[in-house]
Amino acid sequence: ELKEEFTRILTANNPHAPQNIVRYSFKKRAYKPVSYVDQMAIHFSLNGNMILKDSDEGRRQSIRLNTAAEKAPTETSAETSEEAEIKDEEGAGDTQATGEEEAEESGAGEVTEAEEAEEPPPPGVKEQKLANQFNFIEQATRTLNNPLRDKACQSEPTPCKDFSATANQWKIYDAYVEELQKMERSKEKEKPKAQVAKKEEEKKKGRKLTSLDLQGDDITKISRAAKIMERMVNQNIFDDIAQDFKYFEDASDEYRDQQGTLLPLWKFQYDKTKRLAVTAISWNPKYKDLFAVGYGSYDFMKQGQGMLVLYTMKNPSFPEYVFSSESGIMCLDFHNDRPYLVAVGFYDGNVAIYNLKKTTPQPSYKSSAKSGKHTEPVWQVKWQKDDMDNNLNFFSVSSDGRIVSWTLVKNELVHTDVIKLSAEGTTMQGPEGLQLQTLGCGTSFDFHKKIDYLFLVGTEEGKIYKCSKCYSSQFLDVFEAHHMAVDSVSWNPYHLKVFISCSSDWTVKIWDHTVKTPMFVFDLNSAVGDVAWSPYSSTVFAAVTTDGKAHVFDLSINKYEALCTQLVVAKKKNKITHIQFNPVYPVVIIGDERGHVISLKLSPNLRKMPK
């Protein structure tokens, strides 16, 4: 096989040239194949300006140079010789095209060095340099490069040709320089006066840097180093918990018949939030160890101030950020693309945006009675994609039956009512026989992960409305979901048709939004405060009940019972309010009515990845 010969004939044809070009023939009124195909392939092409000596053009240029050198070197004689040459050429009846004549003129200065060496100019006669006709610059246009003063021109008894124009320019320039120098001198005189006046004012006021100011500057300088030291100390104190978080896997899960456990890790608490309930929890989308906790009260008779506190798992002993508010915080949400922005809803019906980059304790933007705030508590807020003008935008739902879109326009929150929940069949008898329609009370909502306009709203009456941002007066569908208030409703992050709801009627239900009846119903024997889908599996979810228990389900393993039901807080008048899965780590955080947040690690049986 190796000795076998393959003959290959090399031709001058271009292999890339098309062989089947067809052109329309107007004579025969039909398409005809082109027989001739251009086979030339040009790899490099460069247009030069060199001229052969032996060519007619080269001889003509050499003659022109010789005649110019022989005649007088003055400008007038050179001009007359050129004119004579042009006349001679015209009289000779040169029939070359105008394009060639232009090429001759442009190439007049392009004679090779070898040619000049062969025909040197006669001694004693100064060689006339030909001016470049295409390098014409007006002196007046060169404003940036000021022409130097021509001393030679000034010293001569008869001024140069352009001296008068240049002298005028320099007079104007000198006048401007004098004016600028005067202005600088006056500023320098004013400076010491102003400094003296300032010193006198300071003396009068008696302004002196206090020790507190200096101390504040020192604290800001070492704050970063102190924070790192604090985290290191905490890591040493809670070393056993950090080791459990990182490495511990419950080996006894193998013998539990697919049951699982929750291992308690850090407990987060702050002295000023002891009498407040945890009303909202949210993980930061960028920093996976950071989470925000909203504090307020669900009791109508115990309303007071609220707090927004941010903790990190790196420092369980003290919060990273603390913001206090006049009204209780009922909900919060981090912006997905701008993780330093937190939208917050209050018990008094206001909404606000906190900026973590700013050190001020007050929110950066807040609604008011003038800007259309809710008249009842705001139960949930959710960030949306920025609008067409790249303005920040989030939605809120409240007990007053309004779902409102808030847009940040020119540092103000502008509201737009998206939909009003009307309770069907509930009309009140008003004065003089008027029929008044009562509004439904929204308690929770969630937006579809893929279909941007689709969202669900849970109400106090137990109904779940499927709504669209496009329709403000009607619903896409209504689910008769629960007998009591819907505490939470959430779309599945993986299965686009499925959502989950929980209620104070002790049940958790899983739905297909195209079907009116639930697919799964779980009775947990106590009011369910919150439910959350896991970020790692479409079949795992967790719920918390008011009797202090956390329940973790995996529908791929058991469709009827929870894989883990564990008491998280003691029953002494304490209730669990919220639960959230960490987006990366196998950890859940649970908040209660005493202001405590506890983190728990899921055992291997509770975090099995789907096949």
Side-chain angles (χ1 to χ4, degrees), residues 223-243:
S223 60
R224 182 173 172 76
K227 185 178 280 189
I228 293 166
M229 284 295 295
E230 185 186 18
R231 288 185 178 184
M232 289 169 68
V233 170
N234 271 290
Q235 197 168 344
N236 290 336
I237 293 168
F238 301 105
D239 182 57
D240 52 343
I241 297 176
Q243 296 292 334

Side-chain angles (χ1 to χ4, degrees), residues 542-567:
V544 288
T545 49
T546 52
D547 59 357
K549 290 179 181 176
H551 309 260
V552 183
F553 290 80
D554 190 344
L555 301 178
S556 64
I557 295 170
N558 193 333
K559 294 184 178 69
Y560 307 104
E561 292 178 347
L563 298 187
C564 171
T565 299
Q566 190 168 318
L567 190 68

Side-chain angles (χ1 to χ4, degrees), residues 411-460:
N411 296 331
E412 285 186 8
L413 285 171
V414 179
H415 83 288
T416 308
D417 284 4
V418 177
I419 205 163
K420 287 186 179 178
L421 304 172
S422 56
E424 292 177 7
T426 52
T427 52
M428 289 175 60
Q429 192 75 22
E432 300 179 4
L434 287 172
Q435 295 291 319
L436 299 175
Q437 190 176 22
T438 57
L439 293 172
C441 300
T443 53
S444 58
F445 68 163
D446 193 29
F447 289 83
H448 199 277
K449 305 293 185 281
K450 297 287 182 186
I451 306 168
D452 189 47
Y453 62 83
L454 193 65
F455 65 98
L456 299 165
V457 183
T459 61
E460 269 186 23

Side-chain angles (χ1 to χ4, degrees), residues 320-573:
E320 293 290 300
Y321 301 91
V322 179
F323 301 94
S324 58
S325 60
E326 294 173 3
S327 178
I329 290 173
M330 305 314 292
C331 52
L332 58 89
D333 189 33
F334 277 107
H335 196 285
N336 205 36
D337 301 325
R338 299 175 180 85
Y340 52 87
L341 293 179
V342 188
V344 171
F346 297 99
Y347 194 88
D348 62 3
N350 278 312
V351 293
I353 297 174
Y354 284 90
N355 190 340
L356 302 182
K357 287 184 174 180
K358 295 182 179 177
T359 53
T360 54
Q362 297 303 318
S364 300
Y365 315 101
K366 191 175 181 180
S367 65
S368 62
K370 288 181 181 177
S371 62
K373 80 175 188 76
H374 292 283
T375 54
E376 296 280 334
V378 181
W379 294 113
Q380 206 159 358
V381 288
K382 287 274 184 186
W383 283 105
Q384 298 296 298
K385 291 176 183 174
D386 294 356
D387 66 3
M388 301 291 281
D389 299 323
N390 292 326
N391 293 321
L392 295 171
N393 176 33
F394 68 92
F395 277 56
S396 64
V397 64
S398 167
S399 300
D400 63 2
R402 292 163 61 215
I403 289 142
V404 179
S405 169
W406 299 91
T407 310
L408 189 63
V409 182
K410 294 180 180 177
N411 296 331
E412 285 186 8
L413 285 171
V414 179
H415 83 288
T416 308
D417 284 4
V418 177
I419 205 163
K420 287 186 179 178
L421 304 172
S422 56
E424 292 177 7
T426 52
T427 52
M428 289 175 60
Q429 192 75 22
E432 300 179 4
L434 287 172
Q435 295 291 319
L436 299 175
Q437 190 176 22
T438 57
L439 293 172
C441 300
T443 53
S444 58
F445 68 163
D446 193 29
F447 289 83
H448 199 277
K449 305 293 185 281
K450 297 287 182 186
I451 306 168
D452 189 47
Y453 62 83
L454 193 65
F455 65 98
L456 299 165
V457 183
T459 61
E460 269 186 23
E461 298 84 46
K463 292 178 182 177
I464 295 174
Y465 294 97
K466 185 167 77 172
C467 308
S468 168
K469 292 180 187 177
C470 307
Y471 304 113
S472 59
S473 58
Q474 60 184 10
F475 312 116
L476 301 179
D477 211 343
V478 181
F479 300 91
E480 298 288 342
H482 296 276
H483 301 295
M484 293 178 73
V486 179
D487 292 322
S488 178
V489 61
S490 177
W491 289 100
N492 190 296
Y494 295 99
H495 200 299
L496 301 179
K497 285 187 177 181
V498 173
F499 68 90
I500 195 168
S501 65
C502 71
S503 169
S504 304
D505 65 359
W506 298 11
T507 60
V508 172
K509 296 184 181 182
I510 296 175
W511 306 75
D512 182 326
H513 79 86
T514 58
V515 183
K516 285 272 196 175
T517 54
M519 295 190 293
F520 296 96
V521 179
F522 302 99
D523 192 335
L524 302 183
N525 298 320
S526 186
V528 186
D530 196 12
V531 69
W533 290 107
S534 76
Y536 54 84
S537 173
S538 62
T539 56
V540 177
F541 67 92
V544 288
T545 49
T546 52
D547 59 357
K549 290 179 181 176
H551 309 260
V552 183
F553 290 80
D554 190 344
L555 301 178
S556 64
I557 295 170
N558 193 333
K559 294 184 178 69
Y560 307 104
E561 292 178 347
L563 298 187
C564 171
T565 299
Q566 190 168 318
L567 190 68
V568 177
V569 297
K571 281 188 179 180
K572 295 176 183 177
K573 295 182 181 178

Side-chain angles (χ1 to χ4, degrees), residues 24 41 93 98 106 109-110 127 179 253 266 281 307 358 361 374 410 469 493 501 573 577 583 587 589:
Y24 187 76
T98 54
S106 66
E110 304 292 339
E127 186 182 344
E179 188 66 28
D253 266 22
W266 300 282
I281 300 176
M307 294 196 88
K358 295 182 179 177
H374 292 283
K410 294 180 180 177
K469 292 180 187 177
S501 65
K573 295 182 181 178
T577 54
V587 170
I589 47 173

